[in-house]
Amino acid sequence: MNKEYLFFLQDHFYIPLYFFTWAISAYRYKRYFDTALKYLPIFIAYTFFTELLGYFIKHHEEFLFFSDDRYITRNVIIYNAYQIVCFIFFYWVYWKTLRTPRFKNWVKYGAYLSILSQLISGFFQNPFYVHLYYANIIGSLVLVMAIFFYFKEKQSEPNPMPQKYNLLFWISTGLLVFYLFFPFILLLGYVNYSFYAQFNLRTVLLFLIVFMYLCINLGLLIGKRKAFR
């Protein structure tokens, strides 16, 4: 087997998981096509191609966006763009799903704050060279807040279908666990790389990704339309 292919599978094992998740999301689409998650297959496909492009930019010179030596093997800009899209997509999902006007307003204003923080960070940090760490912390906290509101509503809402059949419940669980840790692990890698490397936090981050997508896949496989919300 090609050595590069083996390296790809060993060091980027999570990328095929995105494709697998997209395939399941497309196959199960009829179960949630009329919900706030109707754009989920597009978002997962975008995630897959972003990660694939990130790999090729890092390991193949012909995929580099810039000739400037400062940006050689740098693929940060596509991840900064991806994170903005990710936040906006899930803010929209929860804003559409929540029923309490107060919660919907908090999510709306939180989304504005998150986008503003991304714009401000872009002035003080080079988005072509570094992750927008502080903006990602704000964006993650807003998303966690939206998930908290969602779970709070579900607690007081009667539903004859168990939550284990609710796709959004599983997605929310995966997102919550991931975004409670993701921005801080990323920030540690920036401000204290020796600590990041010593405790192998990249591996921790990858396992968080795997956990999140296993939750999404489980929800897609066992989810039922009547249980959604």
Side-chain angles (χ1 to χ4, degrees):
M1 187 179 289
N2 185 284
K3 288 184 178 180
E4 182 183 356
Y5 184 65
L6 280 174
F7 168 76
F8 175 79
L9 290 179
Q10 290 173 358
D11 202 52
H12 300 80
F13 59 90
Y14 52 93
I15 295 181
L17 179 60
Y18 296 138
F19 181 81
F20 178 73
T21 306
W22 171 81
I24 296 178
S25 71
Y27 178 70
R28 295 291 192 182
Y29 189 61
K30 64 181 180 181
R31 297 190 178 187
Y32 62 91
F33 74 95
D34 58 345
T35 72
L37 290 171
K38 59 186 176 181
Y39 301 115
L40 183 64
I42 298 174
F43 173 75
I44 295 175
Y46 173 53
T47 302
F48 170 72
F49 285 115
T50 296
E51 289 287 359
L52 201 60
L53 179 60
Y55 169 81
F56 282 114
I57 291 174
K58 186 175 182 180
H59 297 284
H60 296 272
E61 290 185 2
E62 60 267 29
F63 285 90
L64 290 176
F65 289 157
F66 311 100
S67 58
D68 191 326
D69 289 344
R70 291 179 303 164
Y71 304 117
I72 288 180
T73 74
R74 290 286 182 173
N75 50 21
V76 175
I77 183 60
I78 65 171
Y79 291 111
N80 281 330
Y82 169 81
Q83 201 55 67
I84 294 172
V85 173
C86 178
F87 284 140
I88 292 175
F89 172 68
F90 284 110
Y91 294 157
W92 181 82
V93 167
Y94 288 105
W95 181 80
K96 290 285 288 185
T97 304
L98 291 169
R99 293 174 176 171
T100 306
R102 178 166 54 93
F103 291 167
K104 290 174 74 75
N105 284 333
W106 274 102
V107 171
K108 180 176 67 175
Y109 297 135
Y112 292 155
L113 175 63
S114 176
I115 295 170
L116 181 62
S117 69
Q118 295 282 347
L119 293 174
I120 294 174
S121 291
F123 283 106
F124 293 97
Q125 296 176 286
N126 187 342
F128 292 93
Y129 193 71
V130 296
H131 291 284
L132 302 180
Y133 303 98
Y134 303 107
N136 285 337
I137 290 176
I138 293 174
S140 298
L141 291 175
V142 171
L143 182 55
V144 167
M145 176 189 71
I147 296 170
F148 171 77
F149 289 156
Y150 172 71
F151 282 144
K152 189 174 178 62
E153 278 195 354
K154 294 302 293 181
Q155 281 184 335
S156 59
E157 180 181 272
N159 192 329
M161 298 289 289
Q163 280 303 293
K164 68 179 181 179
Y165 297 119
N166 181 3
L167 171 58
L168 189 53
F169 168 81
W170 288 108
I171 290 177
S172 299
T173 300
L175 288 172
L176 180 62
V177 172
F178 180 77
Y179 280 101
L180 279 174
F181 298 98
F182 156 73
F184 303 103
I185 292 176
L186 210 61
L187 181 62
L188 270 174
Y190 176 65
V191 300
N192 192 347
Y193 185 77
S194 60
F195 180 89
Y196 179 90
Q198 180 183 353
F199 290 95
N200 203 9
L201 293 183
R202 179 179 181 271
T203 300
V204 175
L205 191 60
L206 292 181
F207 276 107
L208 288 172
I209 291 173
V210 170
F211 174 80
M212 176 172 60
Y213 274 83
L214 287 177
C215 285
I216 294 173
N217 279 299
L218 183 60
L220 288 167
L221 288 170
I222 69 173
K224 297 182 179 179
R225 178 63 187 88
K226 292 181 180 180
F228 184 86
R229 211 205 75 76

